[in-house]
Amino acid sequence: MIVGIALLVTIGGCSSSSSDDPDPAAQSSNILFLVLDDVGMDQMEIFGFGGATPPGTPNIADIAGAGVSFTDTWSMPACSTTRATMYEGRFPLRTHVKAALGPNDLANSMTSPYAMTISKLLATRGYESAMIGKFHIALPDMNPAGKAVVHELGWDYFAGWLDETGDPPSIDTTAGGIAPPGTYSCGFVPGGHMANGADVGACYLPDGSCSVPAGGRVPPGRSCRDDGGLFVPNTHCQVAAPDYLDFERQNAHSVSPVTYNFADGSVEELPFTDPRARQFRASFAVDAAAEWINSRPADQPWMATVSFASIHTPLVQPPVDPTSAANIASSHLDCTNPLAQRILSNLMVESLDLEIGRLLVAIGVASRNAQGDLVYTPESTDTMVVILGDNGTLGSTVKLPFDPSRSKGSAYQTGVWVPLIVAGPLVNEPGRIVSSMVNVVDLFALFAEIAGITDVQAEVPRPIDAMPMLPYLIDPGEPAVRSWNYTEVGLNLQADGAVNGPCFIINSCTQIPIVRSVCEDNNGVWWGEGTDAQVNGVPAPAEGFQYCSQVRDFVERNGGESFYIQPLVSIAVRNEGFKLVENTFKDCESNPGSCVDETVTELYEIDVPLDTPWIDREDTNLPLDGLSHEQQAAYVELTDQLAALRATVVACPGDGNIDGMVDERDLQEWERYAQPWGGSSVYDLNLDGRTDTLDRDIILEHLGLDCREGWPLAPAGPLPTASAVR
């Protein structure tokens, strides 16, 4: 690339020499999409990593051996961001879902009801779609659709969790009300050799029944938890359960608020006393998915997304696996201990692997041999299986030589490099590795291609960023489709410009945790509103701080040690040889009385050794004032690439239904959200958390505006350069 020539950006373009004429069988292939939560590339031994003690994943390894493993896949740095990207085929700068969703985020930062989600697109080809488990691209409390939000976005069936934070609740350290808070760090009564533990007792279920779990290698309190019960230590079953037992307490992955959306638009919410709400989340997801899939007519194509909550915090012991000595031995761990957290993350990955194998057998895609090993022959099935990690691993459980300080929540390699496996009847020459660049946004195209859609952009009425993937499966010699890659995490929109509070974890401050409970579930110290933190006996102000830089200033002024601040916005773009990172912080220390954005740009040369992963560590950052000719050319190229991508986003004030026009339809849609809802919606155009006449005024002010002229919708051609778009 010649210095000074802006790089041409290709958006969409889901076509190539191979994908123009896809295998006809694609039109009838079912799709099983398995999403692993917080499982980065560093965890996966089958990709050559996993650290000194990699988790065992024999079932995933068997699937990889029968399919294609993509070794250079980028996600977005956070869960909601990745999910919105791949379900909509659009980067976060278009979806506006830029961080993990929390209870304060506006509907404007959730997947729009007007978006062409993958479920809506596949419906045009006769597919039925189910979402099982974690959703987290919209939350009901700030959304007009409420608990029916999954159905509104196009899925025919949903069985899963619409938690306030989108993720598992905190551990119930009372173990169901039997002890004061803080007593049981893992949410169940441990064995008798542990403090407040017991080797005998009574296990009560919500229906009033009671049993006495057998002792032995597994503490009866843990067995009772796995059965959905509450354990009263050192006692016998009584005629009635003790009054203090509280079956309404949520408990990490074990007791969850389960919601169903049905094809007719109806919603069912399970009480916490329902056995399904008391299953370990991974087990519930497999049971619910198998039930839905097995109920499909033989001639009905389907896509089932099974979105696991593991290994998202809080990390706890998964269900007992009697064949695993490590699983059984974990009963004695203190779940607040950092070393225990690393053991638990391994066990939760291994439990995920068991559940994936169980699911494939349950739906008839695989079987077991006499030794109990998975027998998977995808060519004899009608189902494509896709396995993905949604973002990099949480820093505290990152495996070396990956970088724990630059992990989940950052645009560095450890935060965005994820495992991706695709297997099924459309894969030619299985057992292959594809080392070409892939982005999670491309999965939108893959799912469409499997359904027989060859020109994806032509069927989506707004720009998409997805590139073809099916050619890699069909043609082992397929050249690289992507010449560049992109990732982004930032701030979601909150009323009147509010942001998540600061959270101090280990030796850095971050504003990714959405509320105090999430901060503390990650062993963090909350410095936002209501903080009780202090430094050298000096308490923080009760109102807390808005930004991490304010926390650092307070800590340093009171004699504490300084620390690293995680960026509020982290963006990266790369080509084959170099990677550009932009990190944006709020500088409140050098500007007393005001906080200003400070953006730091970094450049890394990508070196992929044969025996170790390439990681963009701090000490490999190239000094921008001393670049070589080649490095300077790469810097200009990537800077132009990023500018050109940003220039394709066309502001259209008043366009709440994202059709690129401000017209009478927007007034009609505004009315629908303003009355009787009136709260947060995509027609809250001034971002104050209300849909009211102030928003109607914005529509009226821009009535007649047509923003589509700047849209890059030509599927096969490149976009203009950044300067030409401007």
Side-chain angles (χ1 to χ4, degrees), residues 117-132 135 147-159 259-268 292 295-297 300-305:
T117 58
I118 190 60
S119 53
K120 293 178 184 177
L121 182 59
L122 293 188
T124 68
R125 296 303 190 270
Y127 276 70
E128 291 183 352
S129 296
M131 173 71 68
I132 311 293
F135 183 53
K147 295 292 178 87
V149 64
V150 192
H151 176 267
E152 182 186 55
L153 294 181
W155 279 270
D156 299 292
Y157 180 78
F158 171 66
T259 300
Y260 289 85
N261 284 191
F262 299 103
D264 62 1
S266 62
V267 174
E268 179 185 3
W292 184 81
S295 69
R296 299 304 90 205
Q300 173 62 61
W302 50 263
M303 177 177 175
T305 298

Side-chain angles (χ1 to χ4, degrees), residues 563-585:
F563 50 80
Y564 176 69
I565 294 176
Q566 299 285 351
L568 290 171
V569 178
S570 190
I571 294 171
V573 62
R574 62 159 287 193
N575 57 25
E576 288 291 345
F578 292 87
K579 177 178 180 180
L580 184 79
V581 178
E582 272 192 8
N583 289 325
T584 300
F585 307 82

Side-chain angles (χ1 to χ4, degrees), residues 172 208 276 319 362 480 540 621 709 719:
D172 173 22
R276 292 168 292 178
N621 180 16
E709 183 179 351
L719 288 177

Side-chain angles (χ1 to χ4, degrees), residues 601-673:
T601 302
E602 301 169 353
L603 183 67
Y604 298 87
E605 186 166 5
I606 296 173
D607 175 24
V608 185
L610 296 177
D611 55 347
T612 57
W614 175 78
I615 304 295
D616 40 4
R617 298 182 182 279
E618 183 177 6
D619 58 3
T620 63
N621 180 16
L622 298 172
L624 297 184
D625 58 353
L627 298 177
S628 68
H629 179 77
E630 179 189 15
Q631 293 166 348
Q632 181 64 33
Y635 177 78
V636 171
E637 178 180 311
L638 291 173
T639 301
D640 283 346
Q641 177 78 72
L642 188 55
L645 177 62
R646 286 168 168 159
T648 65
V649 179
V650 180
C652 200
D655 176 27
N657 57 15
I658 57 175
D659 65 355
M661 298 178 290
V662 184
D663 52 20
E664 290 294 329
R665 188 178 168 201
D666 286 297
L667 288 172
Q668 295 168 5
E669 295 298 294
W670 167 84
E671 179 70 30
R672 187 165 69 90
Y673 286 111

Side-chain angles (χ1 to χ4, degrees), residues 24 92 149 209 343 352 358 366 410 416 467 474 498 590 604:
V149 64
S209 62
I343 295 172
L352 271 180
R358 186 167 74 88
S410 79
V416 301
M467 301 292 284
I474 295 174
S590 59
Y604 298 87

Side-chain angles (χ1 to χ4, degrees), residues 321-337:
D321 174 9
T323 68
S324 169
N327 180 298
I328 293 171
S330 70
S331 300
H332 72 274
L333 294 176
D334 175 358
C335 288
T336 64
N337 183 287

Side-chain angles (χ1 to χ4, degrees), residues 9-94:
V9 181
T10 302
I11 302 296
C14 292
S15 61
S16 76
S17 58
S18 298
S19 62
D20 287 338
D21 186 23
D23 191 311
Q27 297 189 29
S28 61
S29 294
N30 302 316
I31 302 168
L32 178 62
F33 183 30
L34 307 174
V35 185
L36 317 181
D37 201 344
D38 285 1
V39 178
M41 185 64 94
D42 64 296
Q43 300 289 321
M44 304 303 289
E45 187 176 25
I46 60 173
F47 284 87
F49 309 120
T53 56
T57 54
N59 294 312
I60 296 176
D62 286 344
I63 297 168
V68 174
S69 298
F70 291 85
T71 61
D72 194 359
T73 303
W74 267 16
S75 70
M76 301 302 114
C79 51
S80 299
T81 320
T82 288
R83 284 168 170 76
T85 294
M86 63 194 183
Y87 296 147
E88 204 176 327
R90 289 152 53 84
F91 286 141
L93 45 72
R94 304 188 205 282

